[in-house]
Amino acid sequence: DENPSGPILVNATSEPRLLRAFLDFEGDRAKRLTHTLGVGMPEKLNYVYDLNAGNLVCVWRGEFVDATPMWEDRGDGSFRPLGPPQYLFMGPSLAALSGEEPFPVKSDEKLFRPKGYMIDDTTRLPVFKYTYHGLEVEERIIPEDNFRSVSRVITTKATKPAGLYFKLAEENKI
C-alpha cells in the first residue's frame, strides 16, 4: 500500500469521550475483553470498564486511546490506551463467597446481569448498572484529587447476599 494511514487517535476535548471496544488486558490478545467501555476525560484521566463483569479494568493519565486497530481497514474491534495503564484485574468485582474459595475469574451469567449505563447529567460520565444475585448495583467512577486518582462509588438496592465481597485490586504485592 503506497498510501498508509496514520494512527487514528481519539481524545476527549470539551467533555468526556466514551468508546465501546475490545481491550487486550495487559496488551495480551489471549486476554481480550469484548464488552468494554473506554472513558476519556478532558483532564486526561482515563479508564476502561468491563461491562460484562462490573469491573474497573485499568486507569491511566495522558491521552485517551489509539483506535487504529479498531478502525483501520477491516479492523479487529480493539483500542489501546495512549498512556501507561495501571491494570487492576480481570473478572468480577462482586462475589458471594462461602468460606475460603478464591475470587471467581469470570462472571457467573446466572448471577450477573449487565444493565448498561446512563450518562450523569452533571458530570457527563457514565453510571454503570447491573444486578448480581438479585442485588441492584449502580457504580460511578469519580475523579478525585484534581483528576489525579479515581474513586469507585457503589450504590446497591435490595438485600445483599450472604458472604458478599468487593474486590478492588489484585497483585502479588500491594
Side-chain angles (χ1 to χ4, degrees), residues 7-83:
I8 303 169
L9 307 180
V10 178
N11 285 301
T13 51
S14 61
E15 65 177 47
R17 184 78 185 259
L18 309 181
L19 188 58
R20 291 279 308 261
F22 298 161
L23 175 75
D24 295 338
F25 189 84
E26 297 177 333
D28 184 347
R29 184 157 183 165
K31 297 179 182 177
R32 178 160 281 188
L33 300 171
T34 59
H35 293 79
T36 67
L37 180 71
V39 179
M41 297 178 222
E43 298 80 6
K44 304 209 181 304
L45 178 63
N46 314 289
Y47 65 87
V48 175
Y49 193 87
D50 185 351
L51 299 165
N52 257 4
N55 180 28
L56 177 64
V57 175
C58 65
V59 181
W60 72 97
R61 294 188 47 70
E63 300 302 321
F64 185 35
V65 295
D66 179 354
T68 307
M70 181 166 46
W71 289 330
E72 187 174 55
D73 294 327
R74 292 186 52 160
D76 72 357
S78 71
F79 59 35
R80 287 186 226 113
L82 280 174

Side-chain angles (χ1 to χ4, degrees), residues 120-139:
D120 180 282
D121 290 336
T122 304
T123 65
R124 307 301 302 153
L125 293 170
V127 178
F128 302 100
K129 298 178 171 212
Y130 59 89
T131 60
Y132 176 74
H133 239 292
L135 183 67
E136 295 178 38
V137 180
E138 283 190 6
E139 179 170 3

